[in-house]
Amino acid sequence: MVTPFVRHRGKVVALPRANVDTDQIIPKQFLKGVERVGFGSSLFYDWRANPDFELNRPAAQGATILVTGPNFGCGSSREHAVWALAQYGFRAIIAPSFADIFLANCYRNGVLPVSLPASDVEVLIRNAASGSYELVVDLETQLVSDDSGVSVAFSADPYGRQLLLRGLDEIGRTLLEEASIAAYEQTHGMGSPSPAGRGGQGVRP
Amino acid sequence: MQTLFDRIWSAHVVQELADGVALLYVDLHLVHEVTSPQAFAGLRREGRKVRRPERTLATVDHNVPTSDRSVPIADPVSARQVDALDTNARDFGIELFGLTSPGQGIVHVIGPELGATQPGTVIVCGDSHTSTHGAFGAFALGIGTSEVEHVLATQCLVLSKPRNLEARITGSRAPGVTAKDLILALIGKIGTAGATGHVIEYTGDAIRALSMEERMTVCNMSIEAGARAGVIAPDDVTFAYLKGRPRAPAGEAWRNAVERWRTFRSDPGVTYDTHVILDASRIGPQVTWGTTPGMVADITGRVPDPAKLPTENEREAATRALEYMGLKPGTPLEGIPIDRVFVGSCTNARIEDLRAAANVVRGKHVSTRVRAMVVPGSQRVKAQAEQEGLDRVFRDAGFEWRNAGCSMCLGMNADVLGAGERCAATSNRNFEGRQGRGGRTHLMSPVMAAAAAIEGRLVDVRGW
Ligand code: SF4
């Protein structure tokens, strides 16, 4: 079940870097677990060793909205990256652009990715430097706004937006399409060779 | 008119959910130990089954030791994750190539090796380098763990249709220039987000001239250009590779399959959303100098001066990268001393890669300042190499010869760089800390890495 996201008001922290990859967001040593929880404290683990790192500054404490550079979340498909961001407390991430797999992972974990033009992101990054900057991110109206008159429209992925607004159980929803899936398998399944077949020495239960 | 990718897409739409969003049927789902435990836990919690276990294959690769397989995994946390996949495969009826199986290996190496990777199919895996399988004319993409769970339960994936990007690579490669150099040069040209939201179709005579293994190297790194996937139209090279493999069709079914596979191509004159053209004859061996695969240059080049880069983002990123990499602007790339060499990963650890590297090191010895290792992509690749005597060539030259796995590509097991160690690697990511905290990675081809091992510094394999 996706945690719903409709409208969120929260404190902003800026991480003005391009191409932040998922290896930085959650390094590999934290991927050995079999649970979905316990990732928040490992967020940006290597970078957080540096006391000057943006998230370590006193003013950044309690931030729930991350504003950052282009191509955020590139690299590995590890959903652990989004789990870490969400469990640390982030509800929304604002950047000029995101990597595709990361984007899909956000929508499935109640984290809203907001793409805004680079010039708008720069304004938000500057405003966040004050240390007490708050934004309202509204997925219903698709607007990012603050108390001093900034108001920028964004357009979320229509499918991802529905997932978040309604807090959908995506698998449950797809399972309602059973008839279509079975029909597809009837018409196509026969013609295409099943990938699992003879030989190869795997262990089949 | 349709592109190859459009054709695969439309052949797999189970249902249109919204404009451009479809429920897509998945022909083959590859599973590994790191991104699947939470998905199986989700199925259990909801009392759900795996819809098509026969279309699902599992192996352990990311988090396994590459040392002696006859002893238990020393790290208890890693062992628990490997055991979890054992249990999940058994409970949900999925075939597993486990740690001691002769078919174990990196998931993107064993799929093709088994002949399970086939043209015109949709293939997914909870791993971004699933793009590798696109070399066969499959739409193959990496997904997150929630999507893994979705595919396990429904055999379908919900996806917005990506756009088409044609990367036309023309001309012929000079000796010493490899498929790795083509893809690194392409990423250097379009950037690590250059293909975001797109499927790259690689076309042109330089692509047609590649072997299947070389095509896999190219498609493998599509994700490093930000692409959803990479594809190459299947042809006789593809069919020759697949023929006789354990999971490939045989007899009458083979003939029918090849006939169908031939239809998976782009219509002549079809328009792509985006284009990029590269002349292979102008590309030299490539080496990365920074902390993204796009920070790359010809080996004859120099470490760039961040101040001279065109945008603020690039200047800032390059400054950070050079600081991390411990490099000064203007330093010639050739001659940079290295401490470690890693020949491995789903990019460059298939048999042709090992043969090429072995040819470079045969009769020579690894520099005394270097620790070098070869990690075959699969146990089958390893066995084949041993049959050809390549293990002897590597061992005699001073390389460590390991068992198959992801190993130092991501350093989840014991194979890691120490802080400040500089590595010539045949893998695909040079991100900060990827191969070990503080480790410094230079990406390159297997022949370049092999030559660097002997010299103890980055060298141009062409003049060597
Ligand atoms: S070898 Fe590296 S890139 Fe390939 S699947 Fe393993 S960790 Fe990922």
Side-chain angles (χ1 to χ4, degrees):
Chain A
M1 200 80 100
V2 170
T3 312
F5 186 112
V6 180
R7 186 171 183 276
H8 173 78
R9 183 189 178 99
K11 187 171 170 186
V12 180
V13 62
L15 183 62
R17 301 183 190 189
N19 300 310
V20 173
D21 60 77
T22 53
D23 275 76
Q24 306 317 316
I25 300 173
I26 183 92
K28 69 290 192 98
Q29 64 270 32
F30 304 108
L31 311 185
K32 297 187 182 193
V34 294
E35 312 283 336
R36 254 178 193 263
V37 292
F39 296 100
S41 59
S42 315
L43 179 72
F44 294 119
Y45 185 79
D46 288 353
W47 287 352
R48 269 161 86 187
N50 172 0
D52 285 338
F53 177 57
E54 284 85 343
L55 262 58
N56 287 339
R57 296 175 191 162
Q61 304 319 303
T64 56
I65 299 173
L66 181 68
V67 182
T68 185
N71 198 26
F72 187 80
C74 60
S76 158
S77 65
R78 56 187 75 166
E79 195 163 313
H80 312 66
V82 180
W83 298 338
L85 286 160
Q87 289 163 22
Y88 180 86
F90 287 117
R91 295 295 331 267
I93 304 168
I94 302 175
S97 60
F98 296 89
D100 294 326
I101 306 176
F102 180 81
L103 209 58
N105 289 340
C106 281
Y107 285 124
R108 285 161 180 88
N109 286 280
V111 174
L112 175 64
V114 179
S115 302
L116 292 183
S119 50
D120 290 321
V121 172
E122 271 167 37
V123 171
L124 301 183
I125 287 176
R126 268 202 303 279
N127 292 350
S130 71
S132 57
Y133 186 54
E134 290 201 348
L135 279 172
V136 175
V137 182
D138 191 325
L139 182 55
E140 204 131 51
T141 57
Q142 304 195 73
L143 277 180
V144 172
S145 56
D146 70 7
D147 294 338
S148 61
V150 168
S151 176
V152 200
F154 65 96
S155 79
D157 172 83
Y159 179 79
R161 181 163 175 263
Q162 287 309 314
L163 278 182
L164 286 179
L165 282 178
R166 312 226 300 260
L168 282 181
D169 166 12
E170 193 187 20
I171 298 176
R173 212 212 68 87
T174 300
L175 286 173
L176 297 177
E177 311 294 345
E178 169 58 29
S180 311
I181 303 172
Y184 181 92
E185 287 176 328
Q186 276 300 318
T187 45
H188 295 77
M190 301 305 141
S192 69
S194 169
R198 316 151 306 279
Q201 291 168 303
V203 173
R204 196 195 295 269
Chain B
M1 294 239 269
Q2 284 192 307
T3 64
L4 162 60
F5 164 61
D6 294 337
R7 282 217 155 79
I8 304 175
W9 177 275
S10 45
H12 287 82
V13 173
V14 170
Q15 198 168 57
E16 301 275 356
L17 298 179
D19 199 21
V21 182
L23 188 62
L24 215 59
Y25 196 75
V26 172
D27 297 297
L28 175 63
H29 185 189
L30 302 165
V31 171
H32 67 84
E33 78 280 20
V34 173
T35 57
S36 67
Q38 296 86 352
F40 285 110
L43 294 183
R44 274 204 185 85
R45 198 175 49 237
E46 302 292 329
R48 289 169 176 154
K49 294 191 308 227
V50 173
R51 182 184 177 88
R52 290 285 163 214
E54 75 279 13
R55 290 186 177 276
T56 312
L57 293 178
T59 192
V60 287
D61 54 4
H62 283 65
N63 191 7
V64 299
T66 55
S67 48
D68 187 359
R69 292 269 152 97
S70 62
V71 296
I73 299 178
D75 176 351
V77 191
S78 296
R80 197 172 340 122
Q81 197 175 57
V82 170
D83 289 346
L85 186 57
D86 255 24
T87 309
N88 289 329
R90 193 163 357 98
D91 291 357
F92 289 92
I94 295 167
E95 187 177 16
L96 172 68
F97 294 85
L99 194 56
T100 53
S101 162
Q104 181 267 340
I106 304 173
V107 65
H108 311 309
V109 176
I110 72 169
E113 184 174 271
L114 286 165
T117 299
Q118 296 176 10
T121 57
V122 171
I123 301 175
V124 301
C125 174
D127 187 278
S128 59
H129 291 95
T130 309
S131 60
T132 312
H133 307 263
F136 292 79
F139 174 42
L141 71 160
I143 56 177
T145 297
S146 295
E147 292 171 309
V148 168
E149 184 178 338
H150 187 277
V151 177
L152 288 171
T154 68
Q155 203 55 34
C156 295
L157 179 70
V158 178
L159 203 68
S160 304
K161 191 181 177 200
R163 294 183 291 278
N164 285 284
L165 184 155
E166 181 188 25
R168 176 174 289 278
I169 310 185
T170 59
S172 50
R173 283 177 287 143
V177 178
T178 69
K180 182 68 159 284
D181 303 306
L182 299 185
I183 188 64
L184 281 172
L186 181 75
I187 298 165
K189 184 177 167 113
I190 68 174
T192 52
T196 302
H198 292 77
V199 170
I200 303 178
E201 181 176 351
Y202 300 94
T203 65
D205 43 345
I207 294 297
R208 287 286 137 225
L210 298 175
S211 72
M212 256 350 272
E213 302 206 346
E214 292 171 322
R215 293 179 191 185
M216 286 188 246
T217 301
V218 170
C219 286
N220 173 274
M221 290 192 73
S222 305
I223 181 72
E224 308 314 332
R228 245 359 297 232
V231 286
I232 294 176
D235 59 13
D236 290 337
V237 176
T238 322
F239 311 142
Y241 177 96
L242 283 172
K243 192 159 192 197
R245 300 219 169 234
R247 301 301 158 88
E252 182 59 22
W254 168 261
R255 282 184 290 280
N256 292 339
V258 170
E259 204 177 304
R260 196 160 37 80
W261 290 344
R262 283 195 198 280
T263 65
F264 286 100
R265 51 197 283 277
S266 293
D267 291 322
V270 68
T271 31
Y272 295 80
D273 300 290
T274 318
H275 283 275
V276 49
I277 295 182
L278 207 62
D279 180 354
S281 65
R282 290 168 174 273
I283 295 168
Q286 304 287 301
V287 176
T288 61
W289 49 264
T291 52
T292 78
M295 294 176 170
V296 65
D298 200 285
I299 180 68
T300 56
R302 289 170 185 270
V303 175
D305 182 353
K308 296 199 176 118
L309 294 175
T311 68
E312 178 55 35
N313 265 335
E314 284 173 88
R315 286 190 288 274
E316 193 264 348
T319 306
R320 274 187 61 85
L322 292 192
E323 191 189 333
Y324 181 85
M325 293 295 290
L327 293 172
K328 295 217 159 41
T331 310
L333 290 171
E334 185 160 16
I336 293 175
I338 53 156
D339 313 295
R340 304 282 296 268
V341 170
F342 171 61
V343 176
S345 91
C346 58
T347 314
N348 278 126
R350 287 171 289 268
I351 190 69
E352 288 178 9
D353 299 311
L354 302 195
R355 285 181 193 137
N359 277 341
V360 171
V361 306
R362 184 171 279 116
K364 303 193 172 66
H365 205 276
V366 169
S367 157
T368 49
R369 56 168 290 131
V370 169
R371 180 178 163 202
M373 57 162 71
V374 182
V375 183
S378 71
Q379 291 300 80
R380 256 181 249 282
V381 168
K382 180 174 186 242
Q384 171 77 27
E386 286 173 355
Q387 212 175 353
E388 296 177 18
L390 304 183
D391 59 323
R392 279 259 63 89
V393 174
F394 284 117
R395 282 183 207 268
D396 289 350
F399 280 81
E400 297 168 33
W401 179 250
R402 316 291 292 234
N403 280 304
C406 295
S407 175
M408 216 162 68
C409 174
L410 92 164
M412 263 189 89
N413 66 1
D415 309 338
V416 289
L417 295 181
E421 277 191 319
R422 191 179 293 286
C423 179
T426 67
S427 46
N428 45 50
R429 286 191 177 135
N430 49 347
F431 296 155
E432 286 182 30
R434 170 88 176 174
Q435 295 197 283
R437 197 174 184 178
R440 295 162 170 166
T441 303
H442 294 273
L443 303 176
M444 63 195 74
S445 72
V447 287
M448 284 285 286
I454 306 299
E455 289 286 334
R457 58 192 176 87
L458 302 184
V459 285
D460 187 342
V461 71
R462 289 172 300 186
W464 196 73

